[in-house]
Amino acid sequence: MNDINFTCPICKKILKDTGKSLVCEASHSYDKAKQGYTHLLPVNKMHSKIPGDNALMVSARRDFLNKGYYNIFARALTDIVKDCAGENPAPVILDCGSGEGYYTGKMKEALPESKIFGFDISKFAVKAAAGKYKNISFSVASVFDIPFPSESTDVLTDVFSPLCEKEFFRVLKKGGYFIFAIPGEKHLFEMKEVLYENPYENEKKDTYYEGFEFVKRIPVKGRIDIDNNNDIMSLFSMTPYYWKTDIKGSGKIKELQFLSTEIEFDFLVYRKI
């Protein structure tokens, strides 16, 4: 499918790139922003006026990731993607919940001949991604209604984003792979010790999805030392704890000037059967 592209959220037909917009055969048209992305999330499917991460959160995450704290996860993900792509020199890769594009960009670097698409529900994240990674196609869209053709994708990735197995099954080719990154048991445990009186480890379990074969779990562990509050707060804003922590815990993290913590992702690999 050399003409692979995003699909129209209204009629589900392939969108053609005219340069300034994406247009389907039914003449539904979606203008490109100056950064190059398109907005393919219909108003009636937006759960809020401005869904997803705001501009400040996107900026904080980009700043944190660009400093290399999570490089071990990016390297692991690209190795897994290359393994799943196998002998295919130009796989179609779909990054679901691509955020500001850090991991999407790393995959493109590792597989320069691949055709990579990324989408996120946050327009601020997509704007940032499209502005930096010009050789990747991005759109604002929801994982629960992916604007992408059925049975078109070789490898699908999801790093800490919502999961919709029915949509993942639909867009993947038979034999295609779905890579799901989740926090490991001890991920950011030392941060939790600052935030909570009774910190807890993340639950570890193997989850199976209809239509998929569970291939393997790949744990990736490391430790980071953060010596300034700005980066600590950037990390904090990337986590669900940012929304769940009470005033007391938030106050502690705002005063913290050094944090040494374990980091741990588990990459769960599934194959469409």
Side-chain angles (χ1 to χ4, degrees):
M1 298 179 69
N2 295 325
D3 60 345
I4 191 73
N5 204 343
F6 287 114
T7 56
C8 175
I10 298 174
C11 67
K12 310 302 181 183
K13 301 293 185 181
I14 287 279
L15 291 167
K16 304 293 184 181
D17 193 336
T18 67
K20 292 185 177 181
S21 61
L22 297 183
V23 183
C24 71
E25 62 184 43
S27 297
H28 299 126
S29 180
Y30 305 88
D31 292 338
K32 286 186 178 181
K34 65 179 181 180
Q35 293 83 8
Y37 72 91
T38 48
H39 197 292
L40 301 177
L41 179 62
V43 174
N44 64 350
K45 294 187 178 180
M46 294 170 63
H47 57 72
S48 65
K49 186 176 181 180
I50 305 178
D53 292 345
N54 61 37
L56 289 176
M57 295 173 69
V58 169
S59 178
R61 185 168 64 239
R62 165 162 284 182
D63 184 56
F64 182 87
L65 291 173
N66 285 343
K67 291 181 178 179
Y69 290 112
Y70 278 7
N71 276 352
I72 60 169
F73 300 136
R75 289 194 297 268
L77 177 61
T78 55
D79 286 345
I80 297 167
V81 170
K82 286 193 289 185
D83 184 56
C84 289
E87 299 299 319
N88 187 346
V92 174
I93 300 171
L94 185 62
D95 190 14
C96 303
S98 52
E100 77 305 316
Y102 174 75
Y103 296 105
T104 331
K106 294 294 186 183
M107 287 188 281
K108 185 64 174 178
E109 288 178 14
L111 289 162
E113 299 302 315
S114 63
K115 191 154 189 181
I116 299 185
F117 298 81
F119 70 88
D120 197 280
I121 201 169
S122 166
K123 71 174 183 179
F124 299 107
V126 173
K127 179 180 179 180
K132 182 173 183 178
Y133 304 103
K134 297 297 185 180
N135 56 352
I136 300 173
S137 298
F138 289 99
S139 75
V140 178
S142 169
V143 72
F144 299 103
D145 189 14
I146 302 174
F148 213 66
S150 298
E151 300 182 351
S152 62
T153 307
D154 296 295
V155 182
L156 182 150
T157 58
D158 183 318
V159 180
F160 281 19
S161 291
L163 175 152
C164 182
E165 63 269 28
K166 290 183 179 180
E167 278 292 87
F168 290 2
F169 183 87
R170 180 184 65 80
V171 301
L172 276 168
K173 297 176 182 176
K174 184 176 181 180
Y177 289 90
F178 151 38
I179 303 164
F180 189 32
I182 60 174
E185 291 177 285
K186 299 281 286 186
H187 185 56
L188 301 180
F189 189 78
E190 288 83 352
M191 173 179 278
K192 291 180 183 179
E193 288 184 314
V194 175
L195 298 173
Y196 309 124
E197 292 185 5
N198 299 300
Y200 55 91
E201 293 187 3
N202 297 315
E203 182 182 6
K204 179 178 180 179
K205 64 178 182 179
D206 292 332
T207 304
Y208 299 87
Y209 302 104
E210 185 176 355
F212 290 95
E213 169 196 8
F214 178 64
V215 179
K216 57 185 172 179
R217 175 190 293 264
I218 304 172
V220 180
K221 302 178 182 181
R223 176 168 288 276
I224 56 174
D225 296 326
I226 309 175
D227 61 4
N228 66 90
N229 184 257
N230 184 65
D231 288 355
I232 292 171
M233 291 304 297
S234 292
L235 174 59
F236 180 48
S237 72
M238 291 165 54
T239 71
Y241 318 130
Y242 181 81
W243 304 106
K244 297 177 181 179
T245 303
D246 60 21
I247 294 175
K248 182 179 179 181
S250 295
K252 288 180 181 179
I253 204 79
K254 288 177 181 178
E255 298 298 324
L256 200 64
Q257 296 301 321
F258 179 80
L259 175 67
S260 179
T261 184
E262 187 168 347
I263 55 173
E264 181 180 3
F265 281 16
D266 281 355
F267 291 95
L268 308 182
V269 182
Y270 298 85
R271 180 177 177 272
K272 180 178 175 178
I273 55 180

